[in-house]
Amino acid sequence: DAGVIQSPRHEVTEMGQEVTLRCKPISGHDYLFWYRQTMMRGLELLIYFNNNVPIDDSGMPEDRFSAKMPNASFSTLKIQPSEPRDSAVYFCASSLALGTGGAYEQYFGPGTRLTVT
Amino acid sequence: AQSVTQLDSQVPVFEEAPVELRCNYSSSVSVYLFWYVQYPNQGLQLLLKYLSGSTLVESINGFEAEFNKSQTSFHLRKPSVHISDTAEYFCAVSSLSGGYNKLIFGAGTRLAVHP
């Protein structure tokens, strides 16, 4: 398997613009997670899905952030409008369902480095 | 609530020296513990994990960690480090409380191996 795929790898945008980050999880994985990594706050869980359904979005910072998972092989994280303080590396991760071999381990994508000017 | 404390933000060490990266956790339920490694400009990769059984777990590249329930610790060790071990290391805890697989990460420890 190719692992978790994220696009774009780098994104530079101006304040106020809409930004969409994309993720393709590992085939067969039931859970998908979105994280944000910054120097100040470290690694934060934003939202996660189980079988395409959002389970916990308590980490989403504001209404400007939204995430969708229309099918088992694709998810998006959208920021509208973007602000300079959204600059960070955004990671997507996926894992198997609980109780299956190898469960609990999350596989991370390479991340999208977002810069909002 | 669960939490993870990594006691050192940075650890400088010379090549071939031993190293220990410290991790303490707090949780009121049974836990599963992980160490992830992040090389520059890459995502996190699982280094090793403790789910049950032997409290000493090992990775394929010479790292080991010991689960100590009484001290609520999961320190990572390597007897002889290489330049290529330079990376950031994250300790994480997961529990089935609530029935889902949610990881709580520590702040990370940056390991810098010098020649």
Side-chain angles (χ1 to χ4, degrees):
Chain A
D1 200 309
V4 176
I5 298 172
Q6 292 186 247
S7 65
R9 292 293 310 274
H10 301 273
E11 177 80 40
V12 180
T13 191
E14 292 183 349
M15 183 174 62
Q17 296 298 307
E18 177 180 294
V19 174
T20 299
L21 312 182
R22 297 173 175 80
C23 174
K24 176 179 169 54
I26 293 173
S27 177
H29 280 193
D30 301 272
Y31 285 83
L32 184 139
F33 307 82
W34 281 102
Y35 291 89
R36 179 172 68 176
Q37 186 179 41
T38 61
M39 290 292 292
M40 292 295 295
R41 301 176 67 89
L43 198 62
E44 304 172 277
L45 176 65
L46 300 178
I47 184 172
Y48 80 93
F49 296 81
N50 181 19
N51 292 323
N52 312 338
V53 176
I55 302 299
D56 183 353
D57 65 354
S58 59
M60 297 285 263
E62 299 173 33
D63 291 344
R64 299 184 296 106
F65 287 70
S66 62
K68 294 182 179 180
M69 192 165 185
N71 57 62
S73 60
F74 183 65
S75 177
T76 59
L77 177 68
K78 185 177 294 186
I79 308 172
Q80 167 62 20
S82 58
E83 297 182 2
R85 58 194 169 118
D86 301 330
S87 297
V89 180
Y90 291 81
F91 289 104
C92 176
S94 69
S95 74
L96 289 165
L98 297 177
T100 58
Y104 319 119
E105 174 180 349
Q106 293 184 18
Y107 294 80
F108 282 74
T112 295
R113 183 174 297 276
L114 173 64
T115 303
V116 183
T117 61
Chain B
Q2 296 171 295
S3 67
V4 176
T5 302
Q6 292 186 242
L7 298 162
D8 306 293
S9 60
Q10 296 187 62
V11 173
V13 64
F14 287 109
E15 193 173 19
E16 298 183 2
V19 70
E20 178 180 80
L21 307 184
R22 297 178 292 169
C23 172
N24 286 91
Y25 69 92
S26 65
S27 175
S28 58
V29 297
S30 296
V31 297
Y32 305 97
L33 295 158
F34 307 80
W35 276 99
Y36 280 81
V37 58
Q38 184 179 27
Y39 298 104
N41 299 315
Q42 295 186 27
L44 280 71
Q45 303 171 34
L46 182 69
L47 190 60
L48 45 77
K49 61 186 176 185
Y50 170 78
L51 302 182
S52 64
S54 173
T55 57
L56 184 66
V57 291
E58 299 177 351
S59 71
I60 58 173
N61 58 352
F63 283 94
E64 65 179 29
E66 185 161 20
F67 170 55
N68 188 319
K69 188 174 182 179
S70 63
Q71 297 186 8
T72 61
S73 68
F74 192 55
H75 301 332
L76 182 70
R77 301 183 183 94
K78 189 170 185 180
S80 176
V81 295
H82 302 288
I83 296 288
S84 59
D85 293 323
T86 295
E88 187 145 20
Y89 293 79
F90 293 90
C91 182
V93 62
S94 171
S95 82
L96 296 182
S97 176
Y100 55 82
N101 178 25
K102 184 174 178 179
L103 286 178
I104 306 298
F105 285 90
T109 297
R110 189 170 298 275
L111 176 64
V113 182
H114 301 285

